[in-house]
């Protein structure tokens, strides 16, 4: 993951003191002491499926 993909704030507490972890796409928040993973899923609207027609 490139530097551009770094999160701006923790999704749990909203603080900004984040540290990248060793595994790609994982981050540690120094304020709430939680770790989380980011994954890019794609660009654009999801396509309808047979199970979820819209």
């Amino acid at each position: 993951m490139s530097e551009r993909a770094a999160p701006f704030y923790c999704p749990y507490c909203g603080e900004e003191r984040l540290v990248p972890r060793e595994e790609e796409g994982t981050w540690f928040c120094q304020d709430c002491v939680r770790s989380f993973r980011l994954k890019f899923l794609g660009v654009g609207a999801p396509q309808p499926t047979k199970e979820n027609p819209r």
Side-chain angles (χ1 to χ4, degrees):
M1 190 170 277
S2 69
E3 279 297 319
R4 296 182 300 151
F8 294 111
Y9 57 88
C10 174
Y12 297 102
C13 71
E15 295 297 329
E16 299 176 354
R17 294 188 329 138
L18 302 175
V19 178
R21 297 196 54 180
E22 289 183 20
E23 191 176 334
E24 186 175 337
T26 58
W27 296 85
F28 174 73
C29 177
Q30 296 176 337
D31 291 300
C32 70
V33 195
R34 289 183 171 135
S35 294
F36 59 94
R37 177 188 318 257
L38 295 177
K39 183 176 180 181
F40 179 73
L41 298 177
V43 177
Q47 299 298 316
T49 63
K50 292 179 182 179
E51 299 154 356
N52 187 16
R54 284 194 157 183

